[in-house]
Amino acid sequence: RREQARLKAGVVEEDTEEWQKDAHFTGLERVGGVDLSYVKGDDSRACASLVVLSFPALEVLYQDCRVVAVSAPYVAGFLAFREVPFLVEAVRRVQQEEPQLQPQVLLVDGNGLLHPRGFGTACHLGVLTDLPCVGVAKNLLHVDGVVRDELHREQVRSLQRSGETFPLTGTSGKVLGMVLRSCNNSSKPLYVSVGHRVSLGTAVRLVGACCRFRIPEPIRQVRPRGWGGR
């Protein structure tokens, strides 16, 4: 908890890059996606993956997948300590081996500020790499009074078209993230939250701009076929 609190102090919840301030993201050329996918039936072996896509064309420029031995135990609320070191290594490799292809922003299959202590995987990875990061989750994490109750389900049903959103506001009054309908062909939403060096509004716009289907392409392309998730 002390280490998590120490790292959390470094989170920046605002836009820091010029491309973030442009309506069309002019200047953004490379968007990364990261994920740790476990061998089915074996939570001690996983593939740590990084993919870098061009923007706005969303074509794969770089892929890296390394099988790793995961030894740290799973503890609820501290998943990043188990997974992020491998993702940091993947980012470091592209920065060292193919610096012209290093991502300008990372989409993380997980949460950022939408976390019991406001420091999910996207925040953790962002602080350690000092890259803008966005948390993109497929399921709602119940924190600060935010739950998937009937009111929440009604709000989700009210999202009729791609790009429509509503905020996730905790009982503390803090907006923890945004619920986004990412495409017209799927009524299942995404849960977008700030990771590091990006505002929530920019994070939502970026995720929407990266979606051809429900899941944004940097995350959809990163998971090796035949591997499981968390």
Side-chain angles (χ1 to χ4, degrees):
R1 284 178 181 265
R2 284 194 299 270
E3 177 66 2
Q4 198 173 61
R6 184 185 71 81
L7 292 170
K8 181 184 175 182
V11 172
V12 176
E13 300 179 38
E14 302 170 351
D15 293 330
T16 61
E17 309 301 299
E18 285 302 313
W19 60 262
Q20 295 169 329
K21 302 167 187 176
D22 184 89
H24 303 288
F25 296 126
T26 302
L28 177 60
E29 299 178 349
R30 298 172 306 280
V31 180
V34 292
D35 186 40
L36 203 74
S37 303
Y38 291 89
V39 176
K40 291 182 178 178
D42 183 357
D43 63 1
S44 66
R45 291 178 63 235
C47 181
S49 303
L50 165 68
V51 64
V52 181
L53 272 57
S54 64
F55 187 88
L58 301 177
E59 296 175 346
V60 176
L61 301 175
Y62 174 93
Q63 285 180 300
D64 180 25
C65 176
R66 305 287 177 98
V67 176
V68 297
V70 182
S71 57
Y74 169 74
V75 180
F78 298 94
L79 177 67
F81 287 96
R82 174 177 166 87
E83 299 188 346
V84 163
F86 303 111
L87 304 179
V88 171
E89 289 177 5
V91 172
R92 298 288 184 240
R93 277 195 297 273
V94 68
Q95 289 175 329
Q96 293 168 7
E97 298 171 9
E98 301 279 356
Q100 74 281 7
L101 297 179
Q102 64 178 312
Q104 293 165 272
V105 60
L106 292 170
L107 301 190
V108 180
D109 185 4
N111 293 294
L113 296 180
L114 184 59
H115 178 270
R117 284 170 298 283
F119 194 72
T121 299
C123 296
H124 202 130
L125 182 63
V127 170
L128 292 184
T129 62
D130 198 32
L131 286 173
C133 281
V134 177
V136 185
K138 295 182 286 293
N139 299 298
L140 177 63
L141 186 64
H142 293 189
V143 298
D144 193 14
V146 174
V147 294
R148 192 172 178 273
D149 56 12
E150 185 54 35
L151 173 59
H152 180 81
R153 286 189 283 269
E154 282 183 18
Q155 290 176 304
V156 168
R157 286 192 292 268
S158 75
L159 304 177
Q160 296 296 309
R161 294 183 299 277
S162 64
E164 292 188 347
T165 64
F166 67 86
L168 287 169
T169 305
T171 54
S172 64
K174 182 176 176 62
V175 176
L176 305 173
M178 199 73 76
V179 182
L180 168 69
R181 178 160 180 168
S182 55
C183 76
N184 288 326
N185 294 331
S186 175
S187 60
K188 293 181 179 180
L190 296 175
Y191 299 92
V192 181
S193 57
V194 169
H196 183 53
R197 292 178 58 185
V198 63
S199 68
L200 182 56
T202 297
V204 171
R205 287 196 301 118
L206 177 63
V207 171
C210 290
C211 286
R212 290 174 175 163
F213 306 98
R214 179 195 174 209
I215 307 300
E217 288 300 296
I219 292 177
R220 201 175 75 87
Q221 296 284 353
V222 75
R223 181 164 293 174
R225 291 179 182 175
W227 290 64
R230 291 185 177 82

